Amino acid sequence: MTDRELVSMAEEAMSAAYAPYSGFKVGAALAPHNAKGEIRVFTGCNIENASYSPTICAERAAAAEAVKNGFTHFETIAVCGGKDGRIEDFCPPCGVCRQVLCEFGTDDAVLILWDGKKTYRCTFGEMLPLSFRKNKLL
Ligand SMILES: [Zn+2]
């Protein structure tokens, strides 16, 4: 799967965003593998809430769906978004999502951002250096 194909899935997911308060719509497409090495794409969109704090980001929506289905080895995720669904700049994951992604992805996993014209690629290690990892607890 190419970066652009994954970005297209993120764009499609963005169209389902529920963002009546901020108008900022985000889509994510996550391509993890399971214990058998099978890769499947899970997508998510942001879902806002009238009381704000229950709002969930697109990245965590996709992550929850992947983990629920046993795909707990995150390798690549594409994220895009913008006000009223207009993609005009990169939309990097928030700090909470970075921490969640790093729970299931190694430092070598890849984040792809899309600004409507070009992609930006970095590793999870670059996305969240010095992240707090499960090996600290296990
Ligand atoms: Zn987030």
Side-chain angles (χ1 to χ4, degrees), residues 73-96:
H73 305 275
F74 294 4
E75 295 183 3
T76 311
I77 184 168
V79 182
C80 62
K83 186 77 173 169
D84 300 322
R86 291 187 311 273
I87 301 171
E88 299 171 335
D89 198 0
F90 294 123
C91 179
C94 75
V96 172

Side-chain angles (χ1 to χ4, degrees), residues 56-60 93-98:
I56 186 167
C57 301
E59 300 92 322
R60 281 181 285 137
C94 75
V96 172
C97 287
R98 291 177 195 215

Side-chain angles (χ1 to χ4, degrees), residues 32-96:
H33 71 265
N34 63 12
K36 297 176 187 172
E38 300 165 332
I39 295 175
R40 192 190 306 171
V41 175
F42 297 88
T43 61
C45 63
N46 58 322
I47 303 168
E48 293 183 345
N49 187 278
S51 65
Y52 292 105
S53 68
T55 294
I56 186 167
C57 301
E59 300 92 322
R60 281 181 285 137
E65 189 70 10
V67 171
K68 184 193 81 181
N69 283 283
F71 286 73
T72 57
H73 305 275
F74 294 4
E75 295 183 3
T76 311
I77 184 168
V79 182
C80 62
K83 186 77 173 169
D84 300 322
R86 291 187 311 273
I87 301 171
E88 299 171 335
D89 198 0
F90 294 123
C91 179
C94 75
V96 172

Side-chain angles (χ1 to χ4, degrees), residues 1-2 8 10 16 22 25 30 49-51 64 68 71 78 82 88 90-91 95 105 108 127 131:
M1 176 172 304
T2 68
S8 291
S22 73
K25 298 183 176 187
L30 177 64
N49 187 278
S51 65
K68 184 193 81 181
F71 286 73
E88 299 171 335
F90 294 123
C91 179
D108 296 330
M127 172 185 75
S131 62

